[in-house]
Amino acid sequence: MRHWPLLDLRLTTPRLQLRLPTRDDLDQLADRAVEGVHDPERMPFFVPWTDMPSDELGSHVVRYQLGVMSRWRPEQWCGNFAVVHEGRVIGMQDLSATDYVVTREVGTGSWLGMAHQGQGFGAEMRAAVLQLAFAGLGALTAVSSAFLDNPASLAVSRKLGYQPDGLSVHNRRGKRAVQQRLRLDRERFACPVPVEIEGLEPCLPHFGLRP
């Protein structure tokens, strides 16, 4: 699309492709969410969206992801990338920023269907968007966070070079939960996998950048 080139942006790693979701991708994302993202006894997310009844969850995922794309502005954007493995959507990885032209800082968030966890996809897909941020968009820092009882997410952050950046305390399902904040400086990031970035230049104005 000439007026919305972001739909043609592609990030390709040895095993994955990341792209803004198509209608079929949204259906598959909803399927993965309904199939399960985590043990119901745990809650890894700051916003407990997976607590929604299963018969409502799929349509909620679709509406939410469409809303993310519709709210994109150069001064506040979120790339909600569908993560595709062997032609099948297995989860999503986002890259977001506010006032990026000034801050040069991005944040990330992600989830994977349970059947696709424990295979290294989490590190590979986050590495892809970090490469987009640092090499493609000129970011200086990236931030993330995870609850202390989410060791898988914390392990991905350590693997990619993030450093601890303080703690925060939250109400999670009516109980106290501590979240670890994390920060990654550009000079500390060494991308662990090759990442091919396609279709970026026409998208730069939508990130608030000059081509």
Side-chain angles (χ1 to χ4, degrees):
M1 293 180 64
R2 291 180 293 107
H3 298 289
W4 196 242
L6 291 156
L7 290 176
D8 295 320
L9 180 60
R10 298 287 186 273
L11 312 178
T12 305
T13 69
R15 296 188 294 170
L16 305 174
Q17 183 182 84
L18 281 69
R19 62 193 183 216
L20 262 61
T22 64
R23 289 183 297 178
D24 182 62
D25 292 341
L26 289 171
D27 258 346
Q28 292 191 53
L29 271 176
D31 289 340
R32 298 297 86 75
V34 172
E35 290 164 3
V37 178
H38 59 82
D39 184 334
E41 299 302 312
R42 298 176 51 251
M43 176 46 67
F45 303 123
F46 179 70
V47 177
W49 60 274
T50 50
D51 278 348
M52 184 170 293
S54 59
D55 60 345
E56 301 175 17
L57 182 57
S59 61
H60 170 78
V61 168
V62 172
R63 292 195 308 272
Y64 174 78
Q65 297 298 338
L66 288 171
V68 169
M69 289 188 282
S70 72
R71 291 189 295 271
W72 189 305
R73 308 192 313 277
E75 60 271 20
Q76 186 172 29
W77 47 262
C78 178
N80 53 329
F81 295 98
V83 180
V84 182
H85 173 61
E86 296 181 346
R88 177 181 171 89
V89 175
I90 62 173
M92 68 82 54
Q93 170 72 60
D94 71 34
L95 181 76
S96 61
T98 300
D99 296 327
Y100 178 73
V101 173
V102 176
T103 67
R104 296 288 169 155
E105 181 168 279
V106 298
T108 62
S110 66
W111 59 267
L112 280 167
M114 288 184 69
H116 308 284
Q117 296 173 14
Q119 302 175 55
F121 292 134
E124 192 166 329
M125 62 202 227
R126 199 189 315 177
V129 294
L130 290 174
Q131 184 71 357
L132 170 62
F134 290 127
L137 302 175
L140 298 177
T141 51
V143 294
S144 186
S145 62
F147 286 112
L148 295 184
D149 59 2
N150 188 356
S153 179
L154 293 170
V156 168
S157 296
R158 286 194 299 270
K159 180 177 180 178
L160 294 173
Y162 287 79
Q163 297 293 296
D165 192 35
L167 301 173
S168 57
V169 180
H170 303 278
N171 176 348
R172 183 180 61 177
R173 290 176 168 174
K175 296 182 180 179
R176 185 180 193 270
V178 180
Q179 199 169 61
Q180 174 71 65
R181 296 194 300 267
L182 300 146
R183 179 173 297 274
L184 175 62
D185 296 327
R186 177 164 64 182
E187 56 268 22
R188 284 189 58 87
F189 178 62
C191 195
V193 293
V195 179
E196 182 181 359
I197 302 173
E198 300 176 81
L200 177 58
E201 185 172 358
C203 301
L204 291 177
H206 296 279
F207 291 100
L209 303 172
R210 293 179 181 272

